[in-house]
Amino acid sequence: MAFSQINGKVVERGTNEPIFGAKVYSSQGGGAISDLDGMFTINPVQFPDTLITKAATYENDTTIVSGPGTIEISMAKPQELKTVVVTSGRRGQDIEDVPISMEILTPELIDNKGLVNLEDAVSQSPGVFTMDGQVSIRGGSGFAYGAGSRVLLLWNGIPILSGDAGDAKWNAIPMECASQTEILKGASSVLYGSGALNGIISLQERLPSLKGETRAKVQSGVYGNPRRSTLKWWDTNPMFHQAEVYRGKMYKNVGYTISANGFTTPGYREGEQEDRARLSGTFYFRPKNKPDLKAGLSTNFQYQKTGNFIIWESDTFAYTPSGSADTSLEASTLTYQSGVRFSIDPYVKYLDKNRNLHTLKTRYYFVNNNNITNPGQSSASGVSYADYQFQRKWGKKSVLTSGFTGIRTDVSSQLFGDHFSNNFALYSQYEYKLDRLDLTGGIRLEYFEMDDIRGDSDFNFGGDTSGASIPVYPIMRFGAHYQVAEYSHIRASFGQGIRYPSVAERYVATNVGALNVFANPNLTRETGWAAEVGFKQAVKIGEKWKGLIDVAGFVNQYNDMMEFTFGIFNPETGQRLDPSAPDYNQQVAEILDPSTGYTINDIFGFSAENSESARIMGAEISFNSQGTIGDVKLTSLIGYTYMIPETQNTDSAYVETFSTYEYDSETQTATYDKTLKYRFNHLFKADVEAEWKGISLGLSCRYNSFMKNIDAIFEDELINGLYILPGLEQYREEFDRGNLVFDARVGYSFMEHYRVGFIVNNFLNEEYTTRPGDVQAPRNFILQLQMKF
């Protein structure tokens, strides 16, 4: 037997583009991995030799080589369309194998619908509802006045929530350079930490190819007139414009992406302008002499100026801010802000000689909010993040993922005061595959302190403070997936979650019109768990179209939920008064004594409190498809969610804040609907697009049932004819059937590189709200041009 050598190249069939990272196995043992040029070398003992080549998103290839020399292996994209996700286990998995519910939003859907920020994009997903910057998955979140989030936003696998408010800046995420958007439903704190109590929204940057890619999009739109003429405040219909460009290319040892985005609009609500400009990019480096080492540096910078509309003038003039849009008037509730969002993300990945993957991801995220109208309410925050992860695979049977995370947050604010926090965590997850059964188990140990004050992450054995405790909080996760048949999968999962108070929730003290907000330094963490069982069935028509039917039942439990709760407060101390206290009336009288200078308007307001224990049960069915049937490319994203979101808090002082609360003085009994505030029972989403010979038609539908419970004070009179939201009670009585909105679009692709589109959002011109006093946009029209080279 003579020593011989095979020199090969792996390319994509049809394009001849080199495939990097393809694994080539010899039937005689041993193998190789293709480099950035698709090249590999194998030294078989004898001929003929059978080579089996595998690469992610390609069909496996088998090649019989009769003798030494140079060969080319051409790999085809699979006929059976697969969706690969990374969020659930911090590694690539087929979506069918994930033991928890997930939805996928493609870049094509986001582009073709003309969506201008991530909040609008995720609202297209089944089971997801957005309201004024807050995202709720399966009813897990209500309206929180822009502070805190139970849904964790990830960019390139790293959390990206602001350091002061703990919220997601949806308009600052560079969707123009993102690949698919993954939405994971249910508590997911084991791998990602605080904030993933209700789920995760994850975006990964599009990786550059050796061929290189350029994308560009320009679009302009105009708002039509609303049905009610009293809403129309303009003489000339307001417009909006967006332009973006992306370029990415990989060379042998280096690569880059760069993108830019600009958006401007005066807004459909008076004074709610938005002007922003964004520049993003990534540099990749792979040393020539260390092919198993990869490093990169990503950055994102955005400058913006916005008008913030919070409270309407009345239900009659719902597009006009309370107190006028003229911010020079003291009564105006409109505020103008300028701001910067900046992040820089160095990272490194290394595959050692034992094929263990080591990953170090870091980020510094800076958010500045300059309140032009009220400079005393400006703030700035910085979040420093580092995560080391170790991942080891034993063949195809098991995967161990472990790591350590450290987060430092610094806040400088005239509104909140200056604060800092430290959050450290150890985590580990083990996945084991036994034939058709996949099992997952994980644990995370969380430590958190704010301003050197401990206690938020304390774990008390026995469930109360009288027993032993440790300063770290353990969180666990378990999951199972079983492939019943070739296209049939069942799953079950259980996951715990935790969320710590943001600086804004604890320390904000401000007022907007008749709306006062008081600080609560005693606010503490909230915890919860999520469990579900599900069944996924794949269906095929022909060889090129595949659909996934998914049915799931779920239970979400939340303890010590942080909610902004209405009450009467001592403005001096910020403490909420207890109406059941024997000296309650005396306390109020002392606060309103003329010598204090306080009036009745100063003592009403909201503060964040651990006021809620809740359970949400429900079921969800979805149908997602992609592929071609004959000459028609057909894509769908359809889902219906039924939820029973109920409070478990029976405290009279709390349930009296529900808008459905009624008290019968004769029988001395109270009745109220137990549905959580700012939730509903039914949610339906659908988007279908068909394309034939370059012509595409798309239709979207969004429906949610009526929001039964809100804070009663939004409907009630405060005092002497003063309302926070004038006319809301009558408005909700008139619009009591929920929201049903349709969008439509048409497009035409031509000359291989261009696509022109025309989009009509809310084409029936429905008037609807997502939260009290937040009337959404009337019918609007968008003309769009996309270019890809």
Side-chain angles (χ1 to χ4, degrees):
M1 295 183 295
F3 178 86
S4 300
Q5 187 176 78
I6 300 173
N7 296 310
K9 183 176 183 179
V10 186
V11 299
E12 180 179 292
R13 187 175 302 168
T15 67
N16 285 327
E17 185 174 335
I19 298 176
F20 167 70
K23 298 178 180 179
V24 185
Y25 300 95
S26 168
S27 61
Q28 301 171 30
I33 299 177
S34 62
D35 62 18
L36 290 171
D37 296 318
M39 303 301 295
F40 70 92
T41 299
I42 282 184
N43 299 309
V45 176
Q46 62 183 16
F47 291 98
D49 187 20
T50 301
L51 302 182
I52 299 174
T53 307
K54 300 180 179 181
T57 74
Y58 292 91
E59 288 185 333
N60 294 345
D61 179 87
T62 301
T63 304
I64 299 176
V65 183
S66 58
T70 301
I71 64 170
E72 182 175 276
I73 298 175
S74 178
M75 302 191 72
K77 290 287 187 179
Q79 295 295 316
E80 179 184 345
L81 302 171
K82 286 185 176 289
T83 301
V84 178
V85 298
V86 299
T87 307
S88 177
R90 284 200 171 188
R91 64 183 185 88
Q93 295 174 276
D94 290 341
I95 193 170
E96 293 91 338
D97 298 338
V98 174
I100 192 169
S101 290
M102 291 189 72
E103 303 290 351
I104 304 297
L105 300 178
T106 65
E108 290 75 20
L109 174 65
I110 294 172
D111 284 339
N112 293 352
K113 283 186 63 67
L115 302 171
V116 298
N117 68 60
L118 185 57
E119 182 184 357
D120 294 337
V122 298
S123 70
Q124 311 298 313
S125 173
V128 179
F129 185 75
T130 63
M131 60 180 100
D132 200 15
Q134 303 289 141
V135 171
S136 174
I137 298 177
R138 291 175 173 173
S141 299
F143 176 54
Y145 305 86
S149 176
R150 294 189 185 98
V151 175
L152 186 63
L153 176 62
L154 302 177
W155 174 252
N156 284 338
I158 301 176
I160 188 163
L161 299 180
S162 67
D164 50 6
D167 66 335
K169 306 300 184 186
W170 302 103
N171 70 346
I173 303 301
M175 295 191 300
E176 60 274 8
C177 59
S179 60
Q180 66 188 21
T181 301
E182 301 176 10
I183 300 172
L184 190 148
K185 304 173 183 179
S188 308
S189 289
V190 166
L191 289 181
Y192 295 102
S194 175
L197 190 61
N198 185 214
I200 289 174
I201 296 172
S202 175
L203 294 88
Q204 293 285 336
E205 186 177 17
R206 183 184 294 112
L207 294 176
S209 65
L210 290 169
K211 182 180 179 181
E213 180 183 32
T214 300
R215 293 169 174 251
K217 181 174 69 177
V218 292
Q219 61 184 40
S220 291
V222 60
Y223 293 106
N225 292 331
R227 286 188 179 183
R228 288 195 293 148
S229 60
T230 57
L231 299 185
K232 182 176 174 288
W233 55 268
W234 54 77
D235 294 323
T236 302
N237 290 67
M239 299 185 68
F240 49 96
H241 310 280
Q242 182 183 26
E244 65 183 39
V245 63
Y246 164 88
R247 172 64 181 172
K249 183 171 176 56
M250 195 74 193
Y251 298 92
K252 285 187 177 182
N253 303 110
V254 297
Y256 72 90
T257 66
I258 187 169
S259 65
N261 177 286
F263 177 78
T264 182
T265 180
Y268 64 91
R269 288 184 281 214
E270 189 175 7
E272 196 177 45
Q273 72 173 68
E274 181 176 4
D275 302 296
R276 66 174 189 258
R278 179 169 61 239
L279 184 65
S280 308
T282 299
F283 176 76
Y284 302 90
F285 175 64
R286 187 186 299 271
K288 186 175 182 180
N289 59 343
K290 291 186 178 293
D292 293 326
L293 177 67
K294 180 182 178 181
L297 179 69
S298 300
T299 188
N300 181 38
F301 176 87
Q302 176 169 299
Y303 176 80
Q304 64 182 46
K305 183 179 179 182
T306 59
N308 298 306
F309 183 110
I310 301 176
I311 300 174
W312 67 21
E313 177 69 22
S314 67
D315 61 322
T316 304
F317 303 105
Y319 283 169
T320 301
S322 176
S324 168
D326 184 353
T327 56
S328 66
L329 299 177
E330 186 177 349
S332 176
T333 58
L334 184 71
T335 60
Y336 287 101
Q337 291 187 348
S338 62
V340 168
R341 287 87 174 94
F342 170 72
S343 63
I344 185 167
D345 308 356
Y347 75 90
V348 62
K349 294 183 178 181
Y350 177 64
L351 194 64
D352 66 25
K353 62 181 181 180
N354 296 316
R355 314 313 290 171
N356 300 313
L357 179 62
H358 304 263
T359 304
L360 178 63
K361 292 184 177 181
T362 64
R363 167 177 292 154
Y364 178 72
Y365 180 43
F366 175 78
V367 173
N368 168 262
N369 295 307
N370 176 36
N371 195 312
I372 300 170
T373 308
N374 302 305
Q377 296 188 0
S378 300
S379 67
S381 66
V383 180
S384 301
Y385 176 97
D387 177 87
Y388 166 74
Q389 178 186 299
F390 170 85
Q391 191 169 90
R392 179 174 176 80
K393 297 181 180 180
W394 288 270
K396 295 183 179 181
K397 287 188 173 294
S398 57
V399 179
L400 174 68
T401 302
S402 300
F404 171 81
T405 303
I407 306 173
R408 165 77 180 199
T409 300
D410 293 279
V411 176
S412 176
S413 171
Q414 295 172 280
L415 179 61
F416 312 128
D418 295 345
H419 301 276
F420 66 90
S421 66
N422 295 302
N423 186 188
F424 303 106
L426 288 169
Y427 62 87
S428 186
Q429 178 171 286
Y430 183 71
E431 302 168 68
Y432 183 74
K433 185 175 183 65
L434 183 64
D435 195 18
R436 295 187 174 189
L437 177 66
D438 299 295
L439 300 173
T440 301
I443 187 170
R444 186 183 186 94
L445 300 176
E446 279 269 339
Y447 174 81
F448 180 85
E449 63 179 26
M450 183 179 289
D451 299 330
D452 282 332
I453 300 174
R454 303 179 181 181
D456 284 318
S457 59
D458 285 359
F459 180 78
N460 300 303
F461 294 94
D464 58 59
T465 57
S466 61
S469 67
I470 55 176
V472 294
Y473 198 92
I475 306 165
M476 291 182 288
R477 175 194 183 191
F478 304 99
H481 156 262
Y482 183 74
Q483 186 174 356
V484 181
E486 184 177 3
Y487 300 115
S488 304
H489 305 259
I490 58 175
R491 67 179 185 275
S493 66
F494 171 87
Q496 296 176 309
I498 189 170
R499 185 173 79 87
Y500 305 112
S502 67
V503 169
E505 288 170 301
R506 264 187 172 152
Y507 296 108
V508 64
T510 186
N511 69 284
V512 179
L515 178 63
N516 296 310
V517 180
F518 296 90
N520 180 10
N522 298 318
L523 190 68
T524 188
R525 60 143 191 263
E526 62 182 16
T527 60
W529 55 263
E532 77 162 45
V533 293
F535 173 76
K536 192 182 294 287
Q537 176 67 51
V539 294
K540 294 180 66 178
I541 297 179
E543 293 296 326
K544 297 184 179 181
W545 183 87
K546 174 185 174 182
L548 290 174
I549 301 171
D550 190 277
V551 181
F554 58 89
V555 180
N556 296 338
Q557 175 71 39
Y558 299 97
N559 302 311
D560 297 320
M561 285 181 79
M562 291 178 267
E563 286 197 348
F564 280 88
T565 304
F566 182 81
I568 295 178
F569 293 80
N570 184 333
E572 187 71 28
T573 63
Q575 291 184 339
R576 184 183 180 195
L577 304 186
D578 183 1
S580 63
D583 61 343
Y584 171 73
N585 291 330
Q586 181 181 347
Q587 292 182 62
V588 174
E590 291 176 355
I591 294 170
L592 296 179
D593 187 279
S595 64
T596 66
Y598 294 120
T599 68
I600 191 71
N601 295 345
D602 298 321
I603 66 175
F604 292 109
F606 291 83
S607 73
E609 298 185 5
N610 297 105
S611 57
E612 186 77 271
S613 290
R615 178 166 293 180
I616 303 171
M617 302 177 63
E620 187 171 80
I621 181 170
S622 66
F623 176 70
N624 305 328
S625 70
Q626 59 178 329
T628 57
I629 302 176
D631 293 330
V632 179
K633 180 181 178 182
L634 186 62
T635 306
S636 68
L637 179 65
I638 304 170
Y640 165 72
T641 309
Y642 174 68
M643 298 163 283
I644 307 174
E646 292 189 344
T647 179
Q648 295 180 320
N649 188 346
T650 58
D651 178 61
S652 60
Y654 176 70
V655 298
E656 284 178 6
T657 66
F658 282 32
S659 58
T660 58
Y661 179 88
E662 294 183 358
Y663 182 75
D664 190 325
S665 57
E666 292 185 3
T667 61
Q668 295 186 347
T669 58
T671 59
Y672 61 93
D673 191 296
K674 295 173 66 177
T675 301
L676 293 171
K677 288 182 283 189
Y678 307 105
R679 276 81 159 187
F680 34 76
N681 297 119
H682 305 279
L683 182 64
F684 175 77
K685 303 286 182 71
D687 186 273
V688 179
E689 181 172 296
E691 181 180 347
W692 175 74
K693 294 185 177 180
I695 302 172
S696 63
L697 296 173
L699 181 67
S700 294
C701 170
R702 302 183 301 282
Y703 169 77
N704 64 269
S705 56
F706 183 63
M707 192 178 286
K708 298 177 183 178
N709 268 322
I710 64 171
D711 282 292
I713 197 60
F714 285 141
E715 295 183 340
D716 298 341
E717 180 184 14
L718 275 175
I719 191 171
N720 298 330
L722 180 66
Y723 290 84
I724 296 176
L725 288 169
L728 180 64
E729 183 176 14
Q730 296 83 354
Y731 188 91
R732 281 171 48 82
E733 288 175 355
E734 179 180 356
F735 295 90
D736 63 350
R737 297 184 179 180
N739 302 326
L740 178 61
V741 182
F742 291 93
D743 307 325
R745 60 189 184 273
V746 60
Y748 178 63
S749 300
F750 59 99
M751 296 174 63
E752 295 187 29
H753 304 294
Y754 303 93
R755 183 185 188 275
V756 64
F758 180 67
I759 304 153
V760 183
N761 292 317
N762 188 12
F763 69 75
L764 296 180
N765 208 20
E766 293 292 326
E767 183 176 332
Y768 68 104
T769 63
T770 58
R771 66 154 175 88
D774 187 43
V775 180
Q776 296 298 292
R779 178 167 48 216
N780 54 91
F781 309 87
I782 302 174
L783 185 62
Q784 178 192 84
L785 175 65
Q786 297 181 41
M787 295 161 279
K788 299 179 183 179
F789 302 95

